[in-house]
């Protein structure tokens, strides 16, 4: 059987290979300035994400048109037999729940079209699903699989070449030609500055963390294309794949992505499962290969020891908390200050002629002495001895207001507090309310911020400990439907001014949880995440059943295993990285291709390419 769906294979390869390479500026309206936790800026430029999404949507449209034309012409036959309901059911549920979350979202425009720093709205998510569906449908035979992998290999080589040049200090995007590419889609030409040091690899993927996810995903697939065949085309492909794999490894080192290394190591560990379980494997060759891998990894670690030590320390030995005040909130007419030791100090104040008089009590209602020393208010209780209060002026909301500052001298942190008397629960009922002046010069009430976990490790994993501790409480609110794709920025407590200042996020806006699974849960719901995981679990189980303990591996088998290892490594990186339109299209396309390759291997016994070549037992 050979269906010759060459055009479909080319379009799918462009999704997996061209989309990640797209880089060009896009000017857009942010739409967040109405929120007190955001600046007054309402416009920004995107360089790495928006046009990737647009190219993905265009290619999906072309794929749909191609399939429709074939169907109308009567050339598409038997596709019903290739549809596997074990995949289609969770896939349908995933996209259905994403669509419902977008439709019912309070932020419909963002949920549908995407936006600020993400550009992964429900249209893009639907495109992911369409790509997987068409990849599993159109890569029907050996010809289509071969065309897809050849084009994908060439485009990954281009990505790795750009990255290797960045690693050695020759960044294409810092050249005149590169900046012309980045300016291609806008009329007003920009001069660019770069956040990353020369030699740091970000490729075309916006962030070095995404480089780690990309390498973990594609490296096993590229390695699976290396063969011992003596035929010309397979030999050329093997050489190109080997060169590309070396470029990807350099790319990973240059990205300094610890998550990427963990993803690659996870894939390597899974690969050993196949090696150990295969009775036809020559143990000496396995030991030799493992030794070479170990030597390469050891050399990379030695040559980049400071980078690896820094990255590992962020996980196993993160920077300790550097604050004395854990949180502040305006509650029951008082300013509740919770210290790092979980002690609570309740402060009330009265202003007379520009001077504040303070009273304080602990959480049990016991009075705490407040006294003045050199113009600074201090507390006569050892639990709160780190705290200081001094008078100040605030310009919050453009108005000069009497305020005071809570200081913690040992940690060098200050928190500006604006007290106010306001009406509550009807006329004539007054209560003291406490505000803060945020980094954007706006006045905002101090509210209770839910936290869960990582109390002593806020800096874990480059401050992921802080983000996760504020994300965990959000999960319970999104068991059925989420807040809508691309809407995490609205759900996260970006008005947690105290917590953000404590970890160095002062003036920042958190747009993603740095965990793909929590990202899906919050934005499209727990049931959506369950469907997402079920889809992969079914594919994973089917692949393991197909390839584990198989006596000999042919080319098609190796490709199927390579895709399995790559997608597995990508999901491992998802524990600390987000889904992004810079990399996710590659995952969804390869996952669909993996399903198609598995089906073809079942039909042909692994002979999806290059005749009867075997690689495990030599026959």
């Amino acid at each position: 059987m050979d269906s010759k769906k060459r055009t479909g294979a080319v379009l799918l390869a462009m999704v997996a290979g061209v989309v990640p390479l797209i880089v060009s500026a896009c000017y857009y309206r942010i739409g967040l300035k109405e929120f007190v936790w955001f600046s007054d800026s309402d416009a920004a430029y995107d360089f790495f994400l928006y046009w990737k999404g647009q190219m993905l949507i265009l290619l999906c449209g072309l794929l749909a048109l191609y399939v429709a034309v074939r169907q109308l012409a009567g050339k598409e036959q038997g596709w019903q037999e290739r549809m596997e309901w074990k995949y289609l059911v969770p896939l349908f549920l995933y996209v259905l729940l994403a669509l419902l979350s977008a439709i019912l979202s309070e932020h419909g425009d963002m949920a549908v079209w995407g936006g600020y720093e993400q550009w992964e709205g429900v249209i893009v998510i639907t495109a992911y699903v369409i790509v997987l569906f068409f990849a599993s449908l159109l890569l029907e035979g050996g010809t289509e699989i071969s065309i897809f992998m050849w084009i994908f290999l060439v485009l990954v080589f281009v990505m790795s070449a750009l990255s290797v040049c960045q690693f050695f200090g020759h960044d294409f995007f810092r050249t005149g030609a590169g900046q012309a590419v980045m300016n291609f889609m806008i009329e007003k030409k920009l001069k660019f500055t770069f956040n990353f040091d020369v030699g740091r690899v970000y490729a075309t993927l916006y962030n070095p963390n995404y480089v780690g996810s990309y390498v973990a995903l594609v490296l096993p697939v590229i390695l699976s294309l290396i063969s011992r065949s003596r035929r010309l085309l397979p030999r050329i492909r093997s050489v190109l794949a080997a060169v590309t794999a070396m470029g990807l490894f350099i790319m990973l080192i240059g990205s300094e992505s610890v998550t990427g290394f963990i993803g690659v190591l996870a894939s390597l560990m899974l690969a050993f499962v196949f090696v150990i379980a295969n009775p036809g494997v020559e143990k000496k060759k396995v030991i030799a290969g493992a030794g070479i891998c170990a030597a390469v990894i050891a050399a990379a670690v030695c040559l980049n020891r400071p980078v690896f030590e820094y990255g590992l320390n962020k996980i196993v030995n993160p920077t300790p908390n550097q604050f004395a005040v854990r949180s502040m909130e305006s509650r029951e007419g008082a300013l509740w200050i919770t210290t790092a030791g979980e002690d609570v100090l309740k402060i009330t104040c009265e202003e007379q002629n520009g001077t504040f008089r303070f009273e304080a009590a602990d959480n049990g209602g016991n009075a705490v002495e407040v006294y003045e020393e050199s113009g600074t208010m201090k507390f006569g209780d050892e639990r709160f001895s780190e705290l200081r209060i001094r008078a100040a002026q605030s310009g919050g909301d453009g108005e000069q207001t009497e305020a005071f500052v809570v200081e913690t001298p040992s940690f060098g942190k200050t928190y500006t507090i604006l007290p106010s008397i306001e009406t509550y629960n009807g006329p004539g009922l007054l209560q003291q309310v406490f505000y803060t002046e945020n980094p954007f010069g706006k006045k905002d009430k101090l509210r209770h911020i839910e936290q869960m976990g990582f109390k002593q490790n806020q800096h874990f994993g480059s401050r992921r400990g802080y983000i996760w501790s504020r994300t965990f409480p959000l999960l319970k609110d999104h068991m059925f439907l989420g807040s809508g794709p691309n809407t995490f920025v609205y759900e996260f407590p970006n008005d947690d001014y105290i917590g953000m200042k404590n970890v160095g996020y002062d003036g920042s806006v958190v747009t993603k949880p740095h965990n793909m699974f929590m990202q899906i849960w919050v934005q499209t719901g727990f049931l959506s995440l369950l469907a997402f995981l079920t889809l992969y679990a079914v594919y994973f189980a089917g692949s393991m059943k197909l390839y584990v303990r198989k006596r000999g591996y042919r080319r098609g088998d190796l490709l199927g295993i390579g895709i399995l290892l790559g997608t597995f490594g990508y999901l491992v990186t998802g524990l600390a990285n987000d889904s992004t339109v810079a990399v996710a299209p590659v995952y969804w396309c390869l996952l669909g291709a993996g399903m198609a390759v598995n089906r073809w291997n079942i039909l042909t016994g692994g002979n999806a390419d290059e005749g009867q070549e075997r690689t495990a037992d030599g026959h």
Side-chain angles (χ1 to χ4, degrees):
M1 180 177 64
D2 198 354
S3 56
K4 303 294 190 296
K5 297 185 177 70
R6 295 186 176 93
T7 302
V10 171
L11 290 172
L12 287 166
M14 290 178 67
V15 169
V18 172
V19 169
L21 289 170
I22 300 296
V23 176
S24 196
C26 169
Y27 179 81
Y28 69 98
R29 295 291 177 184
I30 300 173
L32 294 175
K33 72 173 184 178
E34 64 188 83
F35 294 94
V36 70
W37 42 260
F38 198 80
S39 71
D40 288 328
S41 175
D42 195 40
Y45 287 94
D46 174 88
F47 301 96
F48 294 98
L49 302 177
Y50 176 80
W51 289 113
K52 284 181 171 67
Q54 299 305 298
M55 177 60 77
L56 172 65
I57 293 168
L58 173 63
L59 290 172
C60 280
L62 292 175
L63 278 166
L65 179 63
Y66 170 73
V67 172
V69 170
R70 286 184 61 88
Q71 186 69 29
L72 291 172
K75 295 181 179 181
E76 186 64 63
Q77 298 178 355
W79 59 270
Q80 295 91 341
E81 289 76 13
R82 297 195 302 278
M83 293 175 63
E84 300 180 76
W85 291 103
K86 62 183 180 181
Y87 299 135
L88 290 180
V89 170
L91 188 65
F92 173 76
L93 289 175
Y94 172 72
V95 72
L96 175 63
L97 290 165
L99 286 166
L100 287 174
S101 293
I103 292 169
L104 299 175
S105 174
E106 295 179 2
H107 312 285
D109 190 62
M110 185 81 82
V112 172
W113 301 104
Y116 186 62
E117 292 192 357
Q118 292 297 107
W119 295 106
E120 199 177 48
V122 75
I123 291 179
V124 168
I125 289 176
T126 303
Y128 296 161
V129 172
I130 292 172
V131 164
L132 183 148
F133 178 76
F134 283 140
S136 65
L137 182 71
L138 296 177
L139 298 180
E140 182 184 358
T143 299
E144 293 82 21
I145 293 171
S146 182
I147 290 172
F148 174 82
M149 294 313 305
W150 261 107
I151 299 174
F152 179 66
L153 172 61
V154 171
L155 293 170
V156 173
F157 170 77
V158 173
M159 176 73 81
S160 67
L162 284 170
S163 301
V164 169
C165 290
Q166 285 181 355
F167 179 78
F168 289 106
H170 304 289
D171 186 355
F172 171 73
F173 296 110
R174 298 178 196 255
T175 67
Q179 299 205 4
V181 169
M182 295 177 74
N183 275 310
F184 182 73
M185 296 300 292
I186 56 173
E187 294 183 7
K188 180 183 178 181
K189 305 308 177 186
L190 305 173
K191 292 184 178 180
F192 301 99
T193 57
F194 294 83
N195 294 328
F196 302 116
D197 296 333
V198 174
R200 184 82 183 273
V201 174
Y202 60 92
T204 61
L205 303 175
Y206 179 56
N207 189 302
N209 288 328
Y210 300 151
V211 173
S213 295
Y214 180 84
V215 174
L217 175 59
V218 304
L219 180 58
V221 181
I222 298 303
L223 288 173
S224 73
L225 300 178
I226 299 174
S227 74
R228 295 178 297 174
S229 174
R230 297 181 180 180
R231 293 161 58 192
L232 180 60
L233 280 179
R235 184 177 294 182
I236 293 173
R237 188 173 70 178
S238 295
V239 172
L240 182 59
V243 172
T244 303
M246 288 188 287
L248 288 170
F249 191 68
I250 294 172
M251 182 177 175
L252 180 59
I253 294 172
S255 72
E256 302 177 12
S257 171
V258 175
T259 305
F261 273 98
I262 293 173
V264 170
L265 289 175
S267 298
L268 188 61
M269 292 172 65
L270 182 60
F272 274 107
V273 172
F274 291 96
V275 171
I276 294 170
N278 192 317
V281 168
E282 297 180 34
K283 305 301 180 184
K284 291 182 179 180
K285 290 183 179 181
V286 172
I287 294 172
I292 293 172
C293 290
V296 171
I297 293 172
V301 171
C302 291
L303 292 173
N304 297 271
R305 184 175 177 180
V307 171
F308 281 95
E309 288 182 347
Y310 174 70
L312 288 175
N313 280 332
K314 289 188 294 185
I315 298 174
V316 300
N317 188 29
T319 302
N321 292 341
Q322 298 179 338
F323 55 82
V325 174
R326 185 175 299 280
S327 66
M328 295 186 189
E329 58 181 294
S330 180
R331 182 175 173 185
E332 299 174 2
L335 175 65
W336 289 40
I337 301 176
T338 303
T339 69
E342 300 297 328
D343 295 305
V344 176
L345 179 66
K346 303 175 184 179
I347 295 176
T348 57
C349 65
E350 181 181 349
E351 181 189 357
Q352 293 180 350
N353 300 322
T355 301
F356 288 106
R357 293 179 65 253
F358 295 93
E359 293 183 358
D362 65 12
N363 200 30
N366 303 306
V368 174
E369 179 189 4
V370 183
Y371 64 94
E372 182 178 352
E373 184 178 288
S374 302
T376 300
M377 308 305 296
K378 298 183 179 180
F379 300 93
D381 188 315
E382 185 64 27
R383 294 172 296 173
F384 311 112
S385 60
E386 176 62 30
L387 305 181
R388 306 283 190 274
I389 294 180
R390 60 176 174 81
Q393 288 280 322
S394 169
D397 291 341
E399 298 180 0
Q400 287 296 317
T401 307
E402 295 296 334
F404 61 88
V405 171
V406 177
E407 298 178 318
T408 57
S410 297
F411 296 97
K413 289 183 169 58
T414 61
Y415 311 92
T416 302
I417 308 299
L418 294 76
S420 176
I421 303 296
E422 298 183 2
T423 301
Y424 78 104
N425 288 340
L429 297 177
L430 302 178
Q431 187 178 72
Q432 194 164 44
V433 179
F434 292 87
Y435 292 79
T436 188
E437 180 184 347
N438 69 21
F440 306 111
K442 299 178 181 181
K443 190 172 85 169
D444 199 5
K445 181 180 176 181
L446 288 164
R447 70 176 183 92
H448 175 68
I449 304 295
E450 287 192 79
Q451 306 175 35
M452 184 183 297
F454 293 97
K455 283 191 174 181
Q456 305 306 321
N457 295 284
Q458 298 278 280
H459 288 268
F460 173 83
S462 297
R463 297 176 284 194
R464 283 171 173 79
Y466 165 76
I467 295 175
W468 293 348
S469 71
R470 271 60 173 177
T471 302
F472 287 146
L474 304 177
L475 302 180
K476 66 181 184 299
D477 300 324
H478 302 292
M479 294 300 295
F480 180 58
L481 290 177
S483 60
N486 211 120
T487 60
F488 183 83
V489 66
Y490 300 106
E491 297 297 300
F492 188 85
N494 277 299
D495 56 349
D496 179 23
Y497 307 114
I498 308 303
M500 285 188 161
K501 175 170 283 193
N502 287 340
V503 296
Y505 274 152
D506 203 23
S508 300
V509 175
V510 177
T511 62
K512 47 192 176 291
H514 293 285
N515 180 293
M516 179 171 63
F517 308 104
M518 286 196 283
Q519 179 187 24
I520 294 171
W521 188 332
V522 172
Q523 294 188 157
T524 57
F526 172 71
L527 294 180
S528 153
L529 173 62
L530 192 60
F532 175 86
L533 294 175
T534 300
L535 173 68
Y536 190 78
V538 172
Y539 164 73
F540 184 87
S543 298
M544 295 296 286
K545 182 180 179 181
L546 179 61
Y547 300 121
V548 169
R549 299 193 63 79
K550 192 169 186 177
R551 185 166 185 85
Y553 294 131
R554 299 183 181 182
R555 294 305 311 151
D557 295 321
L558 290 180
L559 178 58
I561 293 172
I563 294 175
L564 174 65
L565 297 179
T567 53
F568 177 75
Y570 172 79
L571 290 185
V572 171
T573 66
L575 293 170
N577 288 342
D578 310 276
S579 172
T580 171
V581 72
V583 184
V586 187
Y587 166 77
W588 287 91
C589 191
L590 285 177
L591 183 58
M595 295 170 183
V597 170
N598 286 358
R599 184 178 63 243
W600 181 240
N601 285 335
I602 292 171
L603 292 172
T604 64
N607 186 25
D609 192 10
E610 298 181 25
Q612 299 295 320
E613 179 188 0
R614 286 182 180 268
T615 57
D617 58 7
H619 295 306

